[in-house]
Amino acid sequence: MNSPLFKLIPGPLALLGLLLITASLLPPSPAAGADPLIVFGDYPPYHYWDRGNPAGLNIDMLNEAFSRLGITPIFERRPWKRSLDELARGDVTGLCAGFKTPAREKIAFFPTRELSAETNWIISLKGRDIHPTRLKDLNGLVVGVVAEYSYGEEFDTRKELKLNRSASDTQLLNKLLGGRVDAIVGNDLVIRHLASQRHKLDLLKFHFPVNTDPTYLLLSRSDPANAVLARNLSEALLSMRTDGTYRRILKGYRGDLDVDIYAVTTESWPPFRFTDGRGYLTGIDKDLLDVIGRRMGARFVWHQRPWARCLMEIKEGKADITTGIARTPERERYTLFTDRSYFTSAPAFYLADEDRAKGLRTYDDLRRLSIGYSRGSAYFKRFDEDKTLDKRIGANEKQLIRMVMESRWDAFIGTDSQVDYDLARMGLTHRVFKAPYKPRSPIRLRLGVSRKSPLAKRMDELNRILDTILVDGTLDRLRTKYFGSTPHAAPASR
């Protein structure tokens, strides 16, 4: 170090000066206890800059949630790609707002509650002789979309649709207003915002929602304290839903579009609900709630959790509804069940040794085996309450299959429709075998609503709609999509 300045400063002071200068050259990072720095890009009406101030639906949600925690966030507008990079480095506290993906979960903590939900609707001009109530009704029409956007698996895979692609939502709306397309698929809030700016909103007719995806605040994993902040924000967002604040804020942006949004908590459980190879959430349960949502005028936002956590969220009112749940006296204390089941399965036992599987013919044969089961699951009363069996707890059916194949457990119990489907999908039907012993205890799958949820007030309506779906053949078509004409597609029973 040959600078004359440092020659005049004693050693310790010179070192201190060097540290101060070095620190001044580093990029700023959120200090412990400092107001959180939240960055966002322009995406009206969700989050944008309005005359020098942050504005939008997500900004309003965050301001309210943070205020309940006694925190005042600092908002800054930045490009999306730059914001993601800064979030990964820990230069910012949070990023508003994005979808939850495996890649993003590596760099960010996510609150368990979403900020908002982005829903795409089928939209046309009023006065046109167009009255679609389902995607099939769009056949023969020219439907506008934005290039490279995804509108959910059901829409994206319909090859019979005549699509007209636009470069942006603005161009999409221009084509609809100019009569160049019969209808468009668009984010309802974005299209409403753009149409309102041009005083054209009263010309539009919103027919039905196509898909809904939740968006979240991303909190940087570089600061471990953000894990606590994510939990606290989850509680604040939940309280906003409970006391009606969430709905009042949302209604200010939806205008006359009066649609309730309900949170679905469930684990991956093919073929009832699972993420396919392209990242789409799909399955019988997903399709079923899509139909129910359209008929109720509601939206269901999905959250995948371990099953035991799903039950806890229903019990605490942190989620509104779950699917594929069996009714038990314990669960009835905190869950309202639909009157009718929509699918009937049966418990079954599986082993990796074919000869041992063939020898499992009675309940007493279970006493010589170690048996895996899924945490929080209910199978049949005798097994569930039997404390003399060597039962081993697992997280889900995939883990149960692996433990048996690795000879760490002798057998596992599962729901036959789900396990049979999974084994066939994984190419394991020749390595894992179903025992001939069949408990005479059908598992009737129902929809379960938290007793603490606003949806509980609509149980009569939910039951009526489910009854109609069971009678009019809708559910049979949904089941056939995944099971074909297998015996598992047998009608659901009471």
Side-chain angles (χ1 to χ4, degrees):
M1 188 179 302
N2 296 316
S3 168
L5 172 62
F6 285 100
K7 288 181 180 179
L8 296 175
I9 300 177
L13 291 178
L15 180 59
L16 176 61
L18 177 62
L19 291 174
L20 292 173
I21 292 172
T22 303
S24 70
L25 298 176
L26 294 174
S29 60
D35 292 332
L37 174 59
I38 310 298
V39 294
F40 64 93
D42 273 324
Y43 187 50
Y46 289 93
H47 36 82
Y48 60 101
W49 210 254
D50 183 25
R51 293 184 291 274
N53 294 298
L57 170 61
N58 289 334
I59 301 299
D60 288 350
M61 293 291 187
L62 284 175
N63 275 326
E64 175 63 24
F66 275 114
S67 71
R68 296 185 180 209
L69 302 178
I71 298 174
T72 303
I74 299 171
F75 293 102
E76 291 187 9
R77 181 175 54 172
R78 300 182 186 179
W80 175 258
K81 178 62 171 63
R82 173 186 167 188
S83 297
L84 273 177
D85 292 341
E86 291 177 335
L87 187 80
R89 293 195 303 266
D91 295 342
V92 301
T93 306
L95 170 59
C96 172
F99 301 122
K100 185 188 293 186
T101 68
R104 292 175 185 172
E105 286 187 290
K106 294 179 181 178
I107 64 170
F109 296 111
F110 286 79
T112 58
R113 306 301 306 199
E114 71 277 5
L115 282 179
S116 58
E118 295 193 19
T119 301
N120 290 300
W121 281 69
I122 301 298
I123 308 166
S124 70
L125 293 177
K126 293 178 180 177
R128 294 289 303 273
D129 189 21
I130 298 174
H131 310 285
T133 60
R134 54 183 179 172
L135 291 180
K136 186 177 181 180
D137 296 337
L138 299 175
N139 292 350
L141 303 178
V142 178
V143 182
V145 298
V146 176
E148 305 304 324
Y149 278 20
S150 171
Y151 300 98
E153 179 189 25
E154 186 179 6
F155 184 91
D156 292 347
T157 55
R158 294 189 76 90
K159 299 186 182 302
E160 63 270 29
L161 294 177
K162 297 180 180 179
L163 302 181
N164 180 288
R165 292 175 171 81
S166 297
S168 66
D169 290 297
T170 298
Q171 185 182 46
L172 184 70
L173 179 60
N174 287 341
K175 288 183 178 180
L176 179 65
L177 294 173
R180 296 170 59 188
V181 295
D182 298 308
I184 63 172
V185 189
N187 182 304
D188 62 328
L189 293 189
V190 172
I191 297 300
R192 284 174 176 276
H193 180 81
L194 294 173
S196 295
Q197 287 184 325
R198 300 167 61 176
H199 306 289
K200 301 290 187 180
L201 181 58
D202 59 341
L203 300 180
L204 304 184
K205 183 174 182 179
F206 293 75
H207 293 278
F208 65 90
V210 174
N211 72 309
T212 299
D213 291 304
T215 60
Y216 301 84
L217 174 68
L218 287 68
L219 294 166
S220 176
R221 280 189 178 269
S222 294
D223 185 354
N226 285 337
V228 178
L229 181 57
R231 289 196 296 270
N232 292 340
L233 282 171
S234 299
E235 294 297 328
L237 289 166
L238 175 61
S239 70
M240 289 165 58
R241 287 175 60 90
T242 302
D243 65 20
T245 301
Y246 184 96
R247 181 174 177 78
R248 287 192 293 271
I249 293 175
L250 190 60
K251 192 171 179 62
Y253 290 87
R254 275 210 315 257
D256 62 333
L257 188 59
D258 192 17
V259 178
D260 289 311
I261 298 177
Y262 300 112
V264 186
T265 184
T266 186
E267 70 170 345
S268 179
W269 204 54
F272 296 93
R273 59 263 179 185
F274 62 100
T275 302
D276 67 13
R278 293 167 296 174
Y280 291 118
L281 179 64
T282 187
I284 296 171
D285 292 357
K286 173 66 166 56
D287 294 349
L288 174 61
L289 281 192
D290 283 349
V291 174
I292 290 174
R294 288 194 290 270
R295 297 186 184 185
M296 289 184 73
R299 304 178 194 169
F300 293 99
V301 179
W302 290 73
H303 304 274
Q304 290 194 334
R305 316 272 197 243
W307 183 242
R309 182 175 169 188
C310 294
L311 296 177
M312 184 60 67
E313 290 190 347
I314 291 294
K315 185 175 183 179
E316 295 177 353
K318 292 182 177 180
D320 299 298
I321 186 171
T322 190
T323 63
I325 184 172
R327 184 163 58 191
T328 67
E330 165 63 21
R331 294 172 180 174
E332 284 190 299
R333 296 195 302 177
Y334 54 85
T335 308
L336 295 172
F337 291 89
T338 49
D339 294 338
R340 297 185 66 178
S341 60
Y342 63 92
F343 202 96
T344 301
S345 295
F349 293 89
Y350 298 81
L351 295 85
D353 185 313
E354 186 173 11
D355 290 335
R356 295 187 74 186
K358 291 178 180 178
L360 178 50
R361 297 182 174 277
T362 69
Y363 185 87
D364 286 337
D365 292 333
L366 296 173
R367 303 195 182 283
R368 53 187 171 81
L369 303 174
S370 57
I371 308 162
Y373 71 98
S374 290
R375 185 190 307 273
S377 294
Y379 300 102
F380 61 101
K381 185 175 181 180
R382 185 179 181 184
F383 177 85
D384 296 339
E385 297 179 355
D386 193 338
K387 300 185 183 303
T388 66
L389 295 177
D390 182 8
K391 293 190 280 190
R392 314 289 178 87
I393 194 167
N396 51 49
E397 274 78 3
K398 284 188 177 180
Q399 184 186 24
L400 303 185
I401 293 172
R402 186 179 74 251
M403 298 295 276
V404 166
M405 291 183 63
E406 294 175 356
S407 300
R408 298 171 69 178
W409 300 338
D410 297 321
F412 72 88
I413 185 174
T415 306
D416 62 352
S417 56
Q418 189 276 323
V419 176
D420 291 351
Y421 182 91
D422 238 3
L423 291 176
R425 192 170 65 127
M426 298 165 68
L428 297 176
T429 53
H430 65 294
R431 298 184 60 187
V432 179
F433 307 94
K434 187 192 299 186
Y437 169 56
K438 296 181 179 180
R440 296 180 180 178
S441 303
I443 299 176
R444 295 186 172 92
L445 304 182
R446 288 177 162 84
L447 302 177
V449 174
S450 170
R451 290 183 180 271
K452 296 183 179 181
S453 167
L455 183 57
K457 297 179 181 178
R458 302 181 69 177
M459 280 304 295
D460 288 344
E461 181 183 4
L462 178 60
N463 278 313
R464 287 196 301 272
I465 291 173
L466 182 58
D467 281 345
T468 301
I469 289 172
L470 293 173
V471 171
D472 67 12
T474 298
L475 189 59
D476 289 333
R477 290 191 292 272
L478 298 183
R479 286 191 294 238
T480 300
K481 176 180 175 181
Y482 298 92
F483 283 117
S485 57
T486 67
H488 293 310
S493 59
R494 288 189 182 272

